Amino acid sequence: MRTELQLIQSAIADFNFAEAKTEIHPEYKYFKLFEIYLPDRFRGLPTQWKFAILLQQGEENYPLVSKQEIVQEGNRLKSKMTSQSEFPLVIISDDVRVNVEKELVDANDNVFFLDKFRLPGKISDGVPVRNTPIILAVKSKFEKNGKGNYALSLSPYTPNIPVEGWRFFGRHRELEQIMSSKSNCFILGARKTGKSSILAEAKRKLSSSGFIVHDIGVQYAISFGEVVNAMVAKLSVRDAYYAQRDSELLETNFVLNVIKRLRGEDKKRTVLIFDELGNVMRRDSRNIWNFMGILRDLSQKGEIRVLASAFQEIYIRTYKDSDSPLVNFGTMIEINLFSRSEVEEILIKPLSVWYEIEDQNELLSQIRKKFGFHPLILQWIGEYTFKRIFHSKDKKVANHINRLLNEDIKFFKNAFQEIYEKNHSLLEKYLFLKFCKDARDERRELSTIEIKQISLNTELKRFKIESSLDERNYFLYRLSLKGLFYQDESNGLIFKIATPILYYYYESSNDIAEALFDMESEIPQLFKNINISYQNEGSGVN
């Protein structure tokens, strides 16, 4: 008779696995519960799972053990676990009499069944993850239940929603920089490049390391007064009262008193997180120094640490203004497109958990040429594929992704709005469309376009916009931070198209020549130079 651990090892096809935590549930007579963390090769799935295991009942117990009683207990356990736990549940039966897949009540939830006949007695080395019994059981349920949206609870893709934990992909260098540093950190990036997710994952890791972490919600704040109010909202009623009282009686700074209360009595190093603080700095420029000065003084004393995010405009202002409050405030961490290895992590590996990808290098090349490596684009590719492949007869990942270039290109409407519409000036949009159209007319891949000083200057002169070499360099660099272009790694003076799919999306429902004509008549009225005009990043999560 196999032990519970051997059954778990068989389910995940890993005979070296040994970390199953037993849970005490005296109300269950036949099933024994365990909590496990899946090995790294299951990347793309929730890491934490529950297992309920029914061992083979001994021959001498057969007359005494009622099969109906076991089934009833299994249904009670299933109902309780799904209502109380957020983790997926695997119910295993090693008893030949009890087929849990057939006899327990199935529903549109994340409960999966493995019976004795599905669990091999011998574990073979090198079994692909997609062929492990646990994945086959999950896949079987998803495919059988068609378009049930409950499958999305196991999807690693959540476009437009900040992620952490098992759904956090890439950005390891940036995250390590935050975790290993003691200084303040400012995450700088364009819309939807993952700033909020980096902060969310940093919060999770810092909290688990024993830090006091307060995530101050400032996404919708328009002044530093509102930021302070958001900090007060993190306090208990009692602490908020004493912070106000001390300020009035002792004539001390209210913000200092609030932070003192946030730190608590044990005086652990406190981390304050301000996502999209850059918007407040832009809107309430008069009070930047007062607020940021307090944070700087406390962080230099080692009492607090600040993690914040901002649109690139904050970086640009700092770059141009030696009197900026961000000078020497902390480490500036700039994020942009994903690297090839990060694309493998977010797309190739998670999708390979379910179905074979025949030529991974070819698929990566296709994604780079036709879609680009922008994090939001990759999230939408992943979500589209995950939602469709289970109930489709076509199980080839590459075929589903290729459909996004054709009949289902409208799936990128949201990505187009977030990256193209909300994030660029009319002149910037024009240049993107113009360079792409010229390449298409010449039957060249958009990913091969090289934008240089001379080509930019040629386009600007068409509108009688004069610019210096430094201004054009700076203009292109700024564009590379916003999602439509990127700076070539081997030659910083060359810029390339970052998101080809956005042009294909625009082309699918617009006459490009007509759109460019309309822009050409409007641009001379709006632009006399290419000086930077600061934009508001908006309050959407990214």
Side-chain angles (χ1 to χ4, degrees):
M1 184 174 72
R2 291 183 285 187
T3 66
E4 290 95 343
L5 180 59
Q6 287 173 331
L7 290 169
I8 293 173
Q9 291 173 339
S10 181
I12 63 176
D14 186 350
F15 64 86
N16 291 316
F17 183 81
E19 299 179 6
K21 179 182 176 183
T22 305
E23 295 189 354
I24 307 300
H25 291 272
E27 67 270 32
Y28 302 126
K29 182 179 179 181
Y30 305 110
F31 289 88
K32 195 169 182 179
L33 269 76
F34 295 85
E35 177 182 289
I36 79 161
Y37 288 83
L38 290 177
D40 289 342
R41 69 193 190 111
F42 286 87
R43 184 77 167 101
L45 283 173
T47 52
Q48 196 169 351
W49 288 63
K50 302 282 188 181
F51 276 69
I53 298 177
L54 172 69
L55 290 180
Q56 171 71 52
Q57 304 298 305
E59 293 290 337
E60 68 278 5
N61 292 333
Y62 266 43
L64 303 176
V65 177
S66 165
K67 174 181 173 182
Q68 182 180 3
E69 188 178 346
I70 294 175
V71 172
Q72 289 174 346
E73 180 177 287
N75 281 323
R76 284 201 314 273
L77 179 150
K78 177 180 176 296
S79 177
K80 182 176 180 179
M81 288 296 106
T82 53
S83 64
Q84 294 184 353
S85 175
E86 60 183 292
F87 306 116
L89 172 66
V90 178
I91 300 179
I92 294 178
S93 171
D94 201 36
D95 191 319
V96 292
R97 299 178 306 151
V98 183
N99 186 318
V100 289
E101 184 173 10
K102 291 182 179 179
E103 298 184 50
L104 295 190
V105 176
D106 197 5
N108 289 348
D109 52 29
N110 284 325
V111 180
F112 310 99
F113 307 101
L114 280 171
D115 290 292
K116 188 181 183 78
F117 71 92
R118 285 182 176 268
L119 295 169
K122 183 180 179 180
I123 302 174
S124 302
D125 290 334
V127 176
V129 172
R130 63 182 175 275
N131 291 336
T132 58
I134 186 175
I135 294 300
L136 293 175
V138 175
K139 195 158 55 174
S140 172
K141 180 169 181 175
F142 286 174
E143 291 175 345
K144 183 173 64 177
N145 287 277
K147 301 182 180 181
N149 287 331
Y150 68 95
L152 294 181
S153 64
L154 292 190
S155 171
Y157 306 109
T158 57
N160 294 327
I161 300 176
V163 296
E164 59 183 84
W166 67 275
R167 285 190 170 102
F168 183 86
F169 296 98
R171 307 302 190 198
H172 300 296
R173 179 179 61 82
E174 294 83 355
L175 191 61
E176 175 59 27
Q177 195 171 353
I178 292 173
M179 297 301 297
S180 62
S181 173
K182 295 182 179 179
S183 69
N184 300 329
C185 292
F186 237 102
I187 312 298
L188 302 165
R191 292 180 63 86
K192 307 299 179 183
T193 50
K195 302 186 299 296
S196 298
S197 293
I198 291 175
L199 292 178
E201 180 67 359
K203 176 186 176 182
R204 186 184 71 85
K205 285 181 170 288
L206 288 167
S207 297
S208 65
S209 299
F211 288 88
I212 297 174
V213 184
H214 295 286
D215 188 357
I216 313 298
V218 300
Q219 288 91 337
Y220 301 97
I222 61 174
S223 69
F224 283 103
E226 292 185 11
V227 174
V228 176
N229 289 339
M231 294 166 66
V232 173
K234 295 292 181 179
L235 297 175
S236 66
V237 174
R238 178 178 178 274
D239 281 340
Y241 166 76
Y242 280 113
Q244 182 66 45
R245 189 202 65 172
D246 291 349
S247 299
E248 294 173 355
L249 293 181
L250 304 178
E251 296 184 355
T252 52
N253 186 283
F254 180 58
V255 176
L256 283 173
N257 289 329
V258 169
I259 294 176
K260 175 184 175 182
R261 296 286 170 176
L262 286 172
R263 293 184 65 208
E265 296 296 330
D266 55 8
K267 304 301 181 186
K268 287 184 180 178
R269 183 110 193 256
T270 301
V271 180
L272 303 181
I273 295 179
F274 300 93
D275 193 12
E276 293 187 16
L277 184 62
N279 281 340
V280 187
M281 297 176 70
R282 186 192 67 82
R283 293 163 174 159
D284 190 10
S285 57
R286 292 184 305 170
N287 293 307
I288 292 178
W289 271 109
N290 290 337
F291 185 79
M292 300 301 291
I294 291 173
L295 297 184
R296 181 187 305 198
D297 290 344
L298 291 176
S299 60
Q300 288 177 349
K301 293 176 182 177
E303 296 181 12
I304 66 168
R305 185 180 176 205
V306 177
L307 304 181
S309 71
F311 199 28
Q312 286 95 338
E313 310 292 16
I314 295 299
Y315 175 80
I316 293 169
R317 290 187 185 192
T318 303
Y319 178 87
K320 294 177 70 69
D321 184 4
S322 59
D323 293 327
S324 166
L326 293 186
V327 173
N328 298 323
F329 181 80
T331 302
M332 301 293 169
I333 301 176
E334 186 178 319
I335 64 171
N336 208 314
L337 305 180
F338 267 13
S339 66
R340 182 184 176 91
S341 63
E342 288 174 318
V343 178
E344 286 186 64
E345 184 183 341
I346 193 175
L347 273 184
I348 303 300
K349 291 180 180 179
L351 293 175
S352 296
V353 165
W354 304 102
Y355 299 99
E356 182 180 8
I357 298 177
E358 295 178 350
D359 191 332
Q360 296 186 6
N361 288 329
E362 174 62 28
L363 183 58
L364 278 169
S365 177
Q366 174 80 341
I367 292 169
R368 176 68 198 93
K369 289 191 297 185
K370 300 297 186 181
F371 296 90
F373 284 177
H374 191 289
L376 183 61
I377 297 294
L378 300 172
Q379 281 278 346
W380 281 114
I381 294 173
E383 178 169 275
Y384 172 90
T385 307
F386 194 92
K387 289 175 74 172
R388 285 158 175 76
I389 198 165
F390 291 111
H391 59 263
S392 170
K393 292 180 180 179
D394 185 354
K395 302 302 181 184
K396 291 189 175 181
V397 172
N399 290 347
H400 285 275
I401 292 177
N402 284 332
R403 271 191 278 277
L404 279 168
L405 284 169
N406 300 294
E407 61 263 36
D408 288 336
I409 197 168
K410 295 302 180 185
F411 197 76
F412 286 105
K413 178 180 180 180
N414 175 274
F416 179 82
Q417 292 172 338
E418 292 292 345
I419 300 173
Y420 178 88
E421 291 286 4
K422 297 181 180 179
N423 206 25
H424 293 84
S425 69
L426 183 66
L427 178 59
E428 293 165 346
K429 293 174 184 175
Y430 172 83
L431 291 170
F432 174 76
L433 295 179
K434 183 65 165 59
F435 287 127
C436 288
K437 183 180 184 302
D438 289 348
R440 291 280 274 174
D441 290 345
E442 297 168 5
R443 300 183 181 279
R444 291 189 291 126
E445 287 282 0
L446 301 188
S447 58
T448 66
I449 297 172
E450 292 189 349
I451 303 158
K452 303 177 183 178
Q453 277 269 346
I454 188 168
S455 53
L456 173 61
N457 195 32
T458 299
E459 294 299 329
L460 292 175
K461 284 188 173 182
R462 295 181 65 237
F463 301 107
K464 299 182 179 180
I465 297 176
E466 296 297 327
S467 59
S468 67
L469 182 67
D470 285 343
E471 286 175 334
R472 290 192 297 277
N473 272 336
Y474 201 55
F475 181 82
L476 286 171
Y477 169 70
R478 179 175 181 265
L479 273 182
S480 73
L481 298 175
K482 298 177 68 175
L484 293 182
F485 302 86
Y486 72 96
Q487 196 169 20
D488 187 77
E489 291 182 1
S490 60
N491 187 340
L493 297 178
I494 295 176
F495 294 80
K496 297 185 175 182
I497 299 299
T499 46
I501 189 62
L502 298 186
Y503 179 83
Y504 297 133
Y505 172 88
Y506 192 93
E507 184 184 53
S508 69
S509 56
N510 293 275
D511 183 315
I512 299 294
E514 185 177 319
L516 289 174
F517 179 81
D518 291 341
M519 290 179 176
E520 287 166 354
S521 62
E522 192 174 351
I523 286 173
Q525 304 173 41
L526 300 175
F527 296 92
K528 304 302 180 185
N529 55 55
I530 56 171
N531 292 336
I532 295 167
S533 60
Y534 297 105
Q535 296 174 307
N536 174 25
E537 184 178 6
S539 56
V541 293
N542 57 91

